[in-house]
Every structure is written in C-alpha cells, then in structure tokens.
Amino acid sequence: MNNIEKTFQAMAIDSLDYLNTKKSVWETNSVMKKLVQQLTESNELLNDAFVQQSQSDKSGHITQKGLMTSNLAKVCYKTNRKLTLYAKITKNAVLLNDVDVSESVLLRMQDKDLILYCMKLLKAGRDNMGNMVEYGITVEELDVIEAKMNEVKQLPAQISVANNDHKIATQNIRQIMSTMREILDQTDDAIEGMIHDELFTEGWFYARKIKGRHNYGKNNGDKVDDTNE
C-alpha cells in the first residue's frame, strides 16, 4: 500500500464513519441511501484488495528464498567436507574435483548453480554409500539435502505466482478507488443539493478533507483534497 492508497483509505473510512454516525440526517433520502450503500460495498471490496495485495507481497517470498538457499548451501557444505575427506584419503581426484567447494562459494552461488551442485553431491554420496559409514554420511542425510533442494527448486514459481497476484490486487485497488471517487463525488452533490442541515454538510466536507468545495466558515480552515490524487 503506497501513500496515496493509505491517504485515500483513511479519508474513505472517515467519510463512512461520519455518515454512519449521522444516519438520522440522510436515511430517509432514497438517493443518499443508495450512495451510502454503494460506498460501503466498495469500501469492503477495497479492504479485501488491500489484504490480497499485502498477502501477495513478493518481498517476503524473496526473504524466505534467501534463507532457504543459505540453509541448503550450509547443509551441502557439511556433507561435502566428508566426501572431500574421503576423496583425499582414497586419492580419488575425480570425486575431489566434483565435491570440494568452499562454503563461501556455495553461499554465493546462483540458485540454479547451487541446485546443480547439490545434484552432483547427492550422486557422489549415493554412488559411494558403501564406503560412507565410517565418514558419517547416511541415506537420511542425503534425503534431507534432496528435500531442501526440491523446495528451493519450487521457489521461482511461487515468487512468480505471488508477483502476478500482487499485480492483480494492485490493479483492483486502482479500479475500486476510481469507482469510489465517483461515488464520493456524487455524494458530495447529493449532500449539498438535498441535505438542508448546514452543520452536517460542513462536517461531511471536513471528513472528506476537500479544500474549496464547501464554505466551512472562518473557524474550520482549509483541508487537503485527497480524492483527486
């Protein structure tokens, strides 16, 4: 939610709260009742869209992605030290070349490179499983690495879905706000044209925060128009 959206939502809530606390002034007017109902329903849709926008914020997914890839790299490093030790002791140059990667390099790897390395590490561990008992490598350990690797594989698709949902929610917010601006403008006209309670009218435009639309009187001061941003 950006500042324009926050300001608009605050104004809409203030305006609806004012209408609801002064219902006796307008509830017998059929036009006003219809406008207030439309405004109430639109505000509910706006709140739902804000919730969807917040829940689909991809920044949280990106943070989670960083934590998961870092965790995967650290788990892989623990296993690769065991395989590296085995390769050095058995003088297996091919295995050593495949698995001997520093932790700092693993942590800096792009997702796809880390996944490729994990696959190579898993193959090396399973191919040599018969000799790994003494070095502390177990099937369960390799299964944990594979599970974490598969979770990281799914992250780009999850972030893409969240990004699309966020865009849709943001578009809905803009559309709903546009509709609400029209309803609010019509309500302004209805109040000034059909409501004969001057104090109510002044209070309405105070809640609406519109400068210059209605004459408040010298004690009310100018307000900022938040509906035309």
Side-chain angles (χ1 to χ4, degrees):
M1 186 188 302
N2 60 35
N3 288 333
I4 291 177
E5 293 166 350
K6 288 179 182 177
T7 302
F8 181 88
Q9 185 185 42
M11 179 276 297
I13 291 172
D14 287 347
S15 299
L16 274 171
D17 285 347
Y18 182 76
L19 289 170
N20 288 325
T21 58
K22 302 289 185 180
K23 188 176 291 187
S24 60
V25 178
W26 55 264
E27 63 182 347
T28 58
N29 186 299
S30 61
V31 174
M32 278 295 301
K33 286 185 69 174
K34 183 178 180 180
L35 289 169
V36 173
Q37 180 63 29
Q38 290 175 348
L39 190 59
T40 300
E41 292 172 354
S42 294
N43 189 57
E44 290 173 355
L45 291 175
L46 183 63
N47 288 334
D48 290 343
F50 279 134
V51 170
Q52 183 182 6
Q53 184 190 57
S54 176
Q55 291 177 341
S56 61
D57 186 354
K58 68 178 181 179
S59 60
H61 291 271
I62 292 173
T63 300
Q64 181 67 12
K65 172 185 172 183
L67 293 173
M68 291 173 66
T69 53
S70 175
N71 182 256
L72 175 61
K74 290 179 179 180
V75 171
C76 283
Y77 180 68
K78 196 74 175 176
T79 301
N80 98 12
R81 287 303 87 196
K82 300 172 189 177
L83 280 166
T84 296
L85 176 61
Y86 170 74
K88 288 178 178 178
I89 289 175
T90 59
K91 313 245 183 256
N92 188 332
V94 175
L95 177 61
L96 183 64
N97 182 68
D98 286 343
V99 301
D100 187 15
V101 178
S102 71
E103 185 175 20
S104 60
V105 170
L106 287 173
L107 289 169
R108 291 197 304 269
M109 279 184 179
Q110 296 292 323
D111 297 351
K112 62 180 182 179
D113 295 329
L114 180 59
I115 289 169
L116 287 174
Y117 174 80
C118 286
M119 293 172 66
K120 185 182 293 186
L121 184 72
L122 288 169
K123 184 177 186 307
R126 287 169 176 153
D127 286 350
N128 293 279
M129 183 54 68
N131 303 313
M132 290 296 103
V133 175
E134 186 178 3
Y135 296 87
I137 294 179
T138 65
V139 172
E140 290 76 18
E141 179 179 344
L142 297 179
D143 287 345
V144 168
I145 293 174
E146 185 171 21
K148 291 181 180 295
M149 179 188 71
N150 288 334
E151 288 176 353
V152 170
K153 278 183 179 180
Q154 295 170 10
L155 288 173
Q158 292 172 357
I159 292 173
S160 178
V161 169
N163 190 43
N164 289 337
D165 288 346
H166 191 79
K167 288 180 179 179
I168 291 171
T170 300
Q171 291 171 354
N172 287 342
I173 287 168
R174 291 172 182 165
Q175 183 176 352
I176 294 166
M177 284 174 58
S178 177
T179 299
M180 289 180 72
R181 286 192 176 101
E182 292 179 4
I183 298 169
L184 286 163
D185 181 63
Q186 293 168 12
T187 306
D188 293 339
D189 292 336
I191 288 174
E192 284 193 297
M194 294 188 291
I195 302 299
H196 304 294
D197 185 326
E198 186 64 19
L199 289 177
F200 171 82
T201 303
E202 289 182 4
W204 165 253
F205 283 99
Y206 185 87
R208 288 274 282 118
K209 301 175 178 66
I210 292 182
K211 178 174 67 175
R213 173 70 189 247
H214 189 76
N215 181 18
Y216 291 96
K218 62 182 180 181
N219 294 324
N220 285 327
D222 289 335
K223 297 296 171 183
V224 178
D225 183 354
D226 290 319
T227 66
N228 297 312
E229 295 172 340

